[in-house]
Amino acid sequence: MARRTMSLLPQWTSRVFSVELDGALHYFAIQEKHRGGEVPGVFRKVRNRDRCYSLLVCSGDRIRRAKFYGELRDKLQRHLSPGCDLSPMSSFLPNVKDSLIKGYFLKDSSESSSPTERLLRELTQHDPVLVCSYLRGEDGQLWTQHLWPPAESQLVEMSKDYYVVPSEAPEYHPSVLNIINSDVFYSLDDAYEVIKKCGDIIPEAKSVLELLPSRAEARSKPDHPVIVIEGLDATGKTTLTESLRDTLGAVLLRSPPQCLSPWRARFDQEPPLIRRAFYALGNYITAEQIGQQGMKTPVIVDRFWHSTAAYAIATAVSGPLSNLPTEGSEVYRWPSDLLQPSLVVLLTLDPEERKRRLRNRGLDETKEEQELDHNQLFRLRVEEAYRRISGPACITVDASPPADQVLQQVLLLIRGKCHL
Ligand SMILES: Nc1ncnc2c1ncn2[C@@H]1O[C@H](COP(=O)(O)OP(=O)(O)OP(=O)(O)O)[C@@H](O)[C@H]1O
Ligand SMILES: Nc1ccn([C@H]2C[C@H](O)[C@@H](COP(=O)(O)O)O2)c(=O)n1
């Protein structure tokens, strides 16, 4: 076993590797002895002259790994020759939390191996990336995995061949293993820690931290009801929250709060770890504002923690709804240190009507909202994640009737639940 590999990829031979090809995940494992079996799906369509590599981002602290994962894709896309295909890849210990390591699978069908090898060599010398190559055996059936470049693997005693064999789909989608504290944060301290560590590379992080409430100020529950309105883009949240504010004489707040607006676009460019921590902190700032206003009047909130968690989970996990963490999973639990609203309403809308409203409104969509339009599965995952969040769970309201009817429907719910 290679020393460098062991330190970079702990439990190397117990790991499963997954490659996302044409929207489906293909799994394989490695073993020291070949015990027969089929060729893993990902290698079945590889032609004789194609060369395959895996690139796993597996050293440095988690902020550096998260940043480098995105940079690596950009670098590869910029420099690889035509004829090279890149697919998202990961390696994980089945059902072991926090064991996921992300990377890319590279199939090189270009004429010459030299440009790709030059680029890979440079990466292994300067960047926190572990490269393996895959070789086809003479009978065309067996594939082996080797640490790359070969010269280095000799130096680190990598004498064995690791045979590549198909592996079954694990019980949990690999991305689910790392959701907690990488995509969804369950305490102010955990999100704070990420943004604080970004201070060196993102100067704006310091300004964001300055806006946070002092942790010493533990607030008591607001005297008045706190009603959160959730839903995908253009489901009518702004229209409804403004009407509720006027009808109930309430205060209207938003998450992320207005004071974070100058930095939102900056953090939207960052990888999920940093971007989601930013939105998580936004909820704590809004919670502080709710605590103050809720002592005086009812409070209406346009998006809150349900949005932060639902979008994060639905983005981290690809594919059909069955890939989401199962209902009741700890991933859907409400953070114990975050103010709990009295009522959370989820507005739902038929996708065609939502698109019609988006077109009529004519405003720019965020990148994630564009994704909602193009990717029906993503939209379904976000809505399902909303529904699975508990403590408090959301109550779904059909937002397709005219605005005044939606308002009446929600007022009924509020009167029933919040005694207003
Ligand atoms: N019940 C309704 N029936 C018909 N049109 C509506 C209704 N509610 C809102 N609209 C219209 O749909 C569009 C989107 O509504 P709105 O801006 O309130 O959605 P939103 O959920 O706040 O969107 P975003 O999250 O992007 O801010 C607007 O043009 C609005 O006038
Ligand atoms: N509390 C919040 C509010 C928003 N987000 C993220 C989720 C989407 O990417 C995007 C939607 O916001 P909008 O376009 O409606 O302003 O912002 C979040 O994570 N948490």
Side-chain angles (χ1 to χ4, degrees), residues 231-240 302-303 347 353 356-358 360-361 363 369 399-404 406:
L232 302 181
D233 204 23
T235 46
K237 295 182 298 300
T238 307
T239 310
L240 176 64
D302 187 339
R303 291 199 191 270
L347 299 179
E353 171 61 10
R356 198 187 60 74
R357 290 188 191 176
L358 268 172
N360 287 352
R361 192 177 59 172
L363 289 178
E369 295 296 348
S400 45
D404 57 331
V406 177

Side-chain angles (χ1 to χ4, degrees), residues 94-355:
N95 309 330
V96 176
K97 274 190 205 160
D98 240 8
S99 65
L100 187 85
I101 289 168
K102 295 211 282 187
Y104 301 98
F105 185 83
L106 167 62
K107 184 160 75 94
D108 179 4
S109 314
S110 62
E111 287 303 316
S112 158
S113 61
S114 311
T116 300
E117 292 199 345
R118 230 184 348 261
L119 178 62
L120 294 182
R121 203 174 292 274
E122 198 184 299
L123 286 169
T124 54
Q125 279 163 7
H126 302 289
D127 292 310
V129 65
L130 179 79
V131 178
C132 289
S133 65
Y134 297 87
L135 297 180
R136 191 199 295 264
E138 276 169 12
D139 65 354
Q141 284 299 305
L142 286 182
W143 282 84
T144 48
Q145 177 176 282
H146 308 259
L147 191 64
W148 194 94
E152 187 172 338
S153 54
Q154 278 159 23
L155 278 179
V156 291
E157 307 150 25
M158 177 102 175
S159 52
K160 288 180 197 138
D161 285 345
Y162 287 91
Y163 293 96
V164 173
V165 290
S167 178
E168 280 180 15
E171 187 182 345
Y172 300 111
H173 184 283
S175 302
V176 170
L177 302 174
N178 281 35
I179 282 184
I180 295 176
N181 276 342
S182 291
D183 296 288
V184 187
F185 296 89
Y186 299 84
S187 74
L188 173 61
D189 285 349
D190 289 336
Y192 183 95
E193 171 102 355
V194 171
I195 300 297
K196 187 163 167 253
K197 282 202 174 133
C198 290
D200 299 340
I201 44 170
I202 309 174
E204 293 86 345
K206 295 201 177 79
S207 314
V208 170
L209 295 180
E210 279 164 18
L211 292 168
L212 281 173
S214 141
R215 267 167 278 183
E217 279 178 43
R219 287 208 166 265
S220 51
K221 206 167 167 270
D223 291 339
H224 293 270
V226 177
I227 297 126
V228 172
I229 307 298
E230 293 281 12
L232 302 181
D233 204 23
T235 46
K237 295 182 298 300
T238 307
T239 310
L240 176 64
T241 50
E242 288 178 355
S243 302
L244 287 171
R245 174 196 61 200
D246 298 344
T247 312
L248 299 172
V251 162
L252 174 54
L253 296 171
R254 289 188 175 79
S255 177
Q258 202 63 38
C259 60
L260 285 185
S261 303
W263 299 291
R264 188 172 175 184
R266 173 72 183 82
F267 282 88
D268 274 343
Q269 299 164 9
E270 293 299 327
L273 175 72
I274 300 169
R275 178 165 189 249
R276 302 301 177 190
F278 170 82
Y279 280 99
L281 290 186
N283 290 326
Y284 287 93
I285 298 173
T286 298
E288 174 68 8
Q289 297 172 348
I290 297 172
Q292 288 166 5
Q293 298 297 331
M295 291 300 172
K296 298 178 261 177
T297 55
V299 182
I300 309 298
V301 192
D302 187 339
R303 291 199 191 270
F304 198 44
W305 195 78
H306 271 77
S307 279
T308 312
Y311 278 81
I313 295 166
T315 312
V317 178
S318 56
L321 289 185
S322 55
N323 284 350
L324 284 176
T326 46
E327 196 145 16
S329 155
E330 56 178 341
V331 161
Y332 300 113
R333 72 174 191 272
W334 191 267
S336 58
D337 61 352
L338 184 64
L339 178 140
Q340 289 183 318
S342 328
L343 174 68
V344 182
V345 171
L346 171 67
L347 299 179
T348 57
L349 204 53
D350 164 76
E352 286 311 310
E353 171 61 10
R354 201 179 71 84
K355 261 194 210 159

Side-chain angles (χ1 to χ4, degrees), residues 51-72:
R51 296 162 296 275
C52 297
Y53 306 89
S54 58
L55 291 83
L56 291 169
V57 181
C58 52
S59 65
D61 66 70
R62 63 184 181 144
I63 306 272
R64 178 145 191 253
R65 283 199 308 270
K67 292 279 287 179
F68 182 66
Y69 178 65
E71 288 163 14
L72 178 60

